[in-house]
Amino acid sequence: MRVLPVGDSALLVEVSSGDEAQALHAELLRRRAEGSIAVREIVPAARTVLLDGLTDPVRLASELTSADVPTAPPRAGEVVELPVRYDGPDLADVAALWGVTEREVARIHAGTEFRVAFCGFAPGFGYLTGLPPHYDVPRRATPRTSVPAGSVALAGPYTGVYPHVSPGGWQLIGSTDTVLWDHARVPAALLSPGTRVRFVPVGTYGPGPVDANDRGPVDADRPDKAGTDGRGPMDADRPDTAGTDRRGPVGADGRSPVGADGRGPVGRT
Amino acid sequence: MTDRALAVVRAGALTTVQDQGRPGHAHLGVPRSGALDAPAAALANRLVGNPAEAAVLETTLNGCAVRPRSTVTVAVAGAPCRVTVDGRPVAWGAPVRVPAGAVLDVGAAVRGVRSYVAVSGGVAVEPVLGSRSTDLLSGLGPPQLTDGAVLPLGRVVGPHARVHVAPQPAPPAELVLRVTLGPRDDWFTREAVRTFISRTYRVSAASNRIGLRTEGPTLERARSGELPSEGVVLGAVQVPPDGRPVVFLADHPTTGGYPVLAVVRAADLPAAAQAVPGTPVRFVAVRRR
């Protein structure tokens, strides 16, 4: 475990695996709940947990040791069940990558208990882990310009559900009608870090109709495409990007500081 | 509809509703958002007698114009600009009475980028996760202002300040940003780190509420490969593959996969919000407190 200072009031705790990061996150939440850590934000990610808004980061840094990381994340809390139709346009591709039938993809996916490792990309988007490593899949070579809300998707070790219509580079295997994010609801996010998730198959297996227009190549210079929408710098894990070759700098769209093109923010319909 | 409202006459290039933002939800992928020049927004609120958490308007470069349906007190702070009521010049940086039906015009910034318009009672759009701020990254909060939009106002809670003019820092001719190195300075060559803290950059025209982008010497990485996504803080200086540092501002993404070379002191970020494109930027390394 490495504890890296971040500015004057934050620490980034780096561990060696996603499981350790989830376990550390759960432990830090427990300590905050019992009152032994005063911190504004606890942000888990792939291999790290960020503690932001600390009053005394130096002291906490000296106190945190590897002994603080439990061996595995707790299997506590309710399981959120997401009804899913395994009808995604990439189901056949995923079946080919896994070397199984489409029906088997659905069976394996629905037979797995997932856990929200972390959230990011958009409010309500969780990066779910649980599939064994040999089921990792690459992102699509060319991201779609528009992925429907509720799409259940795979990339790398993660499963995710797109909370809103957005560009997307992940492999789409199904869809759900469950609303992942509703800011009028309490809590707004159905999935938060640590939430256990199961996908419950409904309806028939097999891909639905695919709109060929949604599969066009992404031109990184166009403002309506992934990576050039004026959002902050991105990273390869983001579900609106394809492989790492697409990690172009954001801001290459020449937007002025006013963002005066009048486009609405991305991540909404 | 109540007469406690503002009609938008001229929305300007990018005018948004901002308050102190919605910190505490980063783990859900929700940016903090909030006024970029927070001290200017706070001053404008103080001048009209609003509590610090009241929502104000944040303009960008060319101001905006609004018509209150009832008589209100307003104050404009942040980027200096010409302010008029029904065409008559009134004070910038001081409380001003705007009669019902009159047009308050907040002109283009003479210096700086963002002016803040506080109205007695505050802009009372429906809060989202405890904040009325427009978040341009994730789309939370009210949409940016459009001509003809109507914004509700809250109840007036206190008298306006008895001042003729309030001192404010001038927008920076040169932006000096104090930074502490890390957490990922080891991803860069020693030469790159030296370049970063010794050479002069310029504010890029591609800057926005998400990040202050810079132009200048590129920073070379000491290692290739990918950094798994990790949480990022306000003021983080992220270096994308083009090698030019980006300073994360209020609407920044909550996680990122490009290495963060340094973090800007929070006290220096309001000035960053007022630095026009082309402004020289120097990053000065300081010791962690």
Coordinates of all heavy atoms in Angstrom, one line a residue, chain A residues 74-112:
Chain A
P74 N -16.4 -6.7 2.2 CA -17.4 -7.4 2.9 C -18.6 -7.8 1.9 O -18.8 -7.0 1.0 CB -17.9 -6.4 3.9 CG -17.5 -5.1 3.4 CD -16.3 -5.3 2.5
R75 N -19.2 -8.9 2.2 CA -20.4 -9.3 1.4 C -21.6 -8.9 2.2 O -22.4 -9.8 2.5 CB -20.3 -10.8 1.0 CG -19.2 -11.1 0.0 CD -19.0 -12.6 0.0 NE -20.3 -13.3 -0.3 CZ -20.8 -13.5 -1.5 NH1 -20.1 -13.1 -2.6 NH2 -21.9 -14.1 -1.7
A76 N -21.8 -7.7 2.4 CA -22.9 -7.2 3.2 C -23.9 -6.4 2.4 O -23.5 -6.0 1.3 CB -22.4 -6.4 4.4
G77 N -25.0 -6.2 2.9 CA -26.0 -5.3 2.2 C -26.8 -6.0 1.3 O -26.6 -7.2 0.9
E78 N -27.9 -5.3 0.9 CA -28.9 -6.0 0.0 C -28.3 -6.1 -1.4 O -27.4 -5.4 -1.8 CB -30.1 -5.1 -0.1 CG -31.1 -5.3 1.0 CD -32.3 -4.4 0.8 OE1 -32.9 -4.5 -0.3 OE2 -32.6 -3.6 1.7
V79 N -28.8 -7.0 -2.2 CA -28.5 -7.2 -3.6 C -29.5 -6.5 -4.4 O -30.7 -6.7 -4.3 CB -28.4 -8.7 -3.9 CG1 -28.1 -8.9 -5.4 CG2 -27.4 -9.4 -3.1
V80 N -29.0 -5.5 -5.2 CA -29.9 -4.9 -6.2 C -30.1 -5.8 -7.4 O -29.1 -6.2 -8.0 CB -29.3 -3.5 -6.6 CG1 -30.1 -2.9 -7.8 CG2 -29.3 -2.5 -5.4
E81 N -31.3 -6.1 -7.7 CA -31.6 -6.9 -8.9 C -32.0 -6.1 -10.1 O -32.9 -5.2 -10.0 CB -32.6 -8.0 -8.6 CG -32.2 -8.9 -7.5 CD -33.1 -10.2 -7.5 OE1 -34.2 -10.1 -7.9 OE2 -32.6 -11.2 -6.9
L82 N -31.3 -6.2 -11.2 CA -31.6 -5.5 -12.4 C -32.2 -6.4 -13.5 O -31.4 -7.3 -14.0 CB -30.4 -4.8 -13.0 CG -29.7 -3.7 -12.1 CD1 -28.4 -3.2 -12.7 CD2 -30.7 -2.6 -11.8
P83 N -33.5 -6.3 -13.8 CA -34.0 -7.2 -14.8 C -33.4 -6.8 -16.2 O -33.3 -5.6 -16.5 CB -35.5 -6.8 -14.9 CG -35.8 -6.1 -13.6 CD -34.5 -5.4 -13.2
V84 N -32.9 -7.7 -16.9 CA -32.2 -7.4 -18.2 C -32.6 -8.3 -19.3 O -32.8 -9.5 -19.1 CB -30.6 -7.5 -17.9 CG1 -30.2 -8.8 -17.5 CG2 -29.9 -7.1 -19.2
R85 N -32.8 -7.7 -20.5 CA -33.0 -8.5 -21.7 C -31.7 -8.7 -22.3 O -31.0 -7.6 -22.6 CB -34.0 -7.8 -22.6 CG -35.4 -7.6 -22.1 CD -36.2 -6.7 -23.1 NE -35.7 -5.4 -23.2 CZ -35.9 -4.4 -22.4 NH1 -36.7 -4.6 -21.3 NH2 -35.4 -3.2 -22.5
Y86 N -31.2 -9.9 -22.5 CA -29.9 -10.1 -23.2 C -30.1 -10.0 -24.7 O -30.2 -11.0 -25.4 CB -29.3 -11.4 -22.7 CG -28.7 -11.3 -21.3 CD1 -29.5 -11.7 -20.2 CD2 -27.5 -10.7 -21.1 CE1 -29.0 -11.6 -18.9 CE2 -27.0 -10.6 -19.8 CZ -27.7 -11.0 -18.7 OH -27.2 -10.8 -17.5
D87 N -30.3 -8.8 -25.2 CA -30.6 -8.6 -26.6 C -29.7 -7.5 -27.2 O -30.0 -6.9 -28.2 CB -32.1 -8.1 -26.7 CG -32.3 -6.8 -25.9 OD1 -31.3 -6.3 -25.3 OD2 -33.4 -6.3 -26.0
G88 N -28.5 -7.3 -26.6 CA -27.6 -6.3 -27.1 C -27.0 -6.6 -28.5 O -26.8 -7.8 -28.8
P89 N -26.7 -5.6 -29.2 CA -26.2 -5.8 -30.6 C -24.8 -6.4 -30.6 O -24.3 -6.9 -31.6 CB -26.1 -4.4 -31.2 CG -26.2 -3.4 -30.0 CD -27.0 -4.2 -28.9
D90 N -24.1 -6.4 -29.5 CA -22.7 -7.0 -29.4 C -22.7 -8.4 -28.7 O -21.7 -8.9 -28.4 CB -21.8 -6.1 -28.7 CG -21.7 -4.7 -29.3 OD1 -21.9 -4.6 -30.5 OD2 -21.5 -3.7 -28.6
L91 N -23.9 -8.9 -28.5 CA -24.0 -10.2 -27.8 C -23.2 -11.3 -28.5 O -22.5 -12.1 -27.9 CB -25.5 -10.6 -27.6 CG -25.7 -11.8 -26.7 CD1 -25.3 -11.5 -25.3 CD2 -27.2 -12.2 -26.7
A92 N -23.4 -11.3 -29.9 CA -22.7 -12.3 -30.7 C -21.2 -12.2 -30.6 O -20.4 -13.1 -30.5 CB -23.2 -12.3 -32.1
D93 N -20.8 -10.9 -30.7 CA -19.3 -10.6 -30.6 C -18.7 -11.1 -29.2 O -17.7 -11.7 -29.2 CB -19.0 -9.1 -30.8 CG -19.3 -8.7 -32.2 OD1 -19.6 -9.6 -33.1 OD2 -19.1 -7.5 -32.5
V94 N -19.5 -10.8 -28.2 CA -19.0 -11.2 -26.8 C -19.0 -12.7 -26.8 O -18.1 -13.3 -26.2 CB -19.9 -10.6 -25.7 CG1 -19.6 -11.2 -24.4 CG2 -19.7 -9.1 -25.7
A95 N -20.0 -13.4 -27.3 CA -20.1 -14.9 -27.3 C -18.9 -15.4 -28.0 O -18.2 -16.4 -27.6 CB -21.4 -15.3 -28.0
A96 N -18.5 -14.8 -29.1 CA -17.3 -15.2 -29.9 C -16.0 -15.1 -29.1 O -15.2 -15.9 -29.0 CB -17.2 -14.5 -31.2
L97 N -15.9 -13.9 -28.4 CA -14.8 -13.6 -27.6 C -14.7 -14.6 -26.4 O -13.6 -15.0 -26.0 CB -14.8 -12.2 -27.0 CG -14.5 -11.1 -28.0 CD1 -15.1 -9.7 -27.5 CD2 -13.1 -11.0 -28.3
W98 N -15.8 -15.0 -25.9 CA -15.8 -15.9 -24.7 C -15.7 -17.3 -25.2 O -15.5 -18.2 -24.4 CB -17.1 -15.7 -23.9 CG -17.1 -14.5 -23.0 CD1 -16.2 -13.4 -23.0 CD2 -18.1 -14.1 -22.1 NE1 -16.5 -12.5 -22.1 CE2 -17.7 -12.9 -21.5 CE3 -19.2 -14.7 -21.6 CZ2 -18.4 -12.2 -20.5 CZ3 -20.0 -14.1 -20.6 CH2 -19.6 -12.8 -20.1
G99 N -16.0 -17.6 -26.5 CA -16.0 -18.9 -27.0 C -17.2 -19.7 -26.5 O -17.1 -21.0 -26.3
V100 N -18.3 -19.1 -26.4 CA -19.6 -19.7 -25.9 C -20.7 -19.3 -26.8 O -20.6 -18.4 -27.6 CB -19.9 -19.4 -24.4 CG1 -18.7 -19.9 -23.5 CG2 -20.2 -18.0 -24.2
T101 N -21.9 -19.8 -26.6 CA -23.1 -19.4 -27.3 C -23.6 -18.1 -26.7 O -23.3 -17.8 -25.5 CB -24.2 -20.4 -27.3 OG1 -24.6 -20.6 -25.9 CG2 -23.7 -21.8 -27.8
E102 N -24.5 -17.4 -27.4 CA -25.1 -16.2 -26.9 C -25.9 -16.5 -25.6 O -25.9 -15.8 -24.6 CB -26.0 -15.5 -27.9 CG -25.2 -15.0 -29.1 CD -26.1 -14.4 -30.2 OE1 -27.3 -14.1 -29.9 OE2 -25.6 -14.3 -31.3
R103 N -26.6 -17.6 -25.6 CA -27.4 -18.0 -24.5 C -26.5 -18.3 -23.3 O -26.9 -17.9 -22.1 CB -28.2 -19.3 -24.8 CG -29.2 -19.8 -23.7 CD -30.0 -21.0 -24.2 NE -31.0 -20.6 -25.2 CZ -32.2 -20.3 -24.9 NH1 -32.6 -20.3 -23.6 NH2 -33.1 -20.0 -25.8
E104 N -25.3 -18.8 -23.5 CA -24.4 -19.1 -22.5 C -23.8 -17.7 -21.9 O -23.6 -17.6 -20.7 CB -23.3 -19.9 -23.0 CG -22.3 -20.6 -22.0 CD -23.0 -21.6 -21.1 OE1 -24.2 -21.9 -21.2 OE2 -22.3 -22.0 -20.2
V105 N -23.6 -16.7 -22.8 CA -23.2 -15.4 -22.3 C -24.2 -14.9 -21.2 O -23.8 -14.5 -20.1 CB -23.1 -14.4 -23.4 CG1 -22.9 -13.0 -22.9 CG2 -21.9 -14.8 -24.3
A106 N -25.5 -15.0 -21.6 CA -26.5 -14.5 -20.7 C -26.5 -15.4 -19.4 O -26.6 -14.8 -18.3 CB -27.9 -14.7 -21.4
R107 N -26.3 -16.7 -19.5 CA -26.4 -17.5 -18.4 C -25.2 -17.2 -17.4 O -25.4 -17.0 -16.2 CB -26.3 -19.0 -18.8 CG -26.7 -20.0 -17.7 CD -26.4 -21.4 -18.0 NE -25.0 -21.7 -18.2 CZ -24.1 -21.8 -17.2 NH1 -24.5 -21.7 -16.0 NH2 -22.8 -22.0 -17.4
I108 N -24.0 -17.0 -18.0 CA -22.8 -16.7 -17.2 C -23.0 -15.3 -16.5 O -22.7 -15.1 -15.3 CB -21.6 -16.7 -18.1 CG1 -21.3 -18.1 -18.5 CG2 -20.4 -16.1 -17.3 CD1 -20.3 -18.2 -19.7
H109 N -23.4 -14.3 -17.3 CA -23.6 -13.0 -16.8 C -24.6 -12.9 -15.7 O -24.4 -12.3 -14.7 CB -23.9 -12.0 -18.0 CG -23.7 -10.6 -17.6 ND1 -24.7 -9.7 -17.3 CD2 -22.6 -9.8 -17.5 CE1 -24.3 -8.5 -17.0 NE2 -22.9 -8.6 -17.2
A110 N -25.7 -13.5 -16.0 CA -26.8 -13.5 -15.0 C -26.5 -14.4 -13.8 O -27.1 -14.2 -12.7 CB -28.1 -13.9 -15.6
G111 N -25.6 -15.3 -13.9 CA -25.2 -16.2 -12.8 C -24.1 -15.6 -11.9 O -23.7 -16.2 -11.0
T112 N -23.7 -14.4 -12.2 CA -22.6 -13.8 -11.5 C -23.1 -12.7 -10.5 O -24.0 -12.0 -10.8 CB -21.6 -13.0 -12.5 OG1 -21.2 -14.0 -13.4 CG2 -20.5 -12.4 -11.8

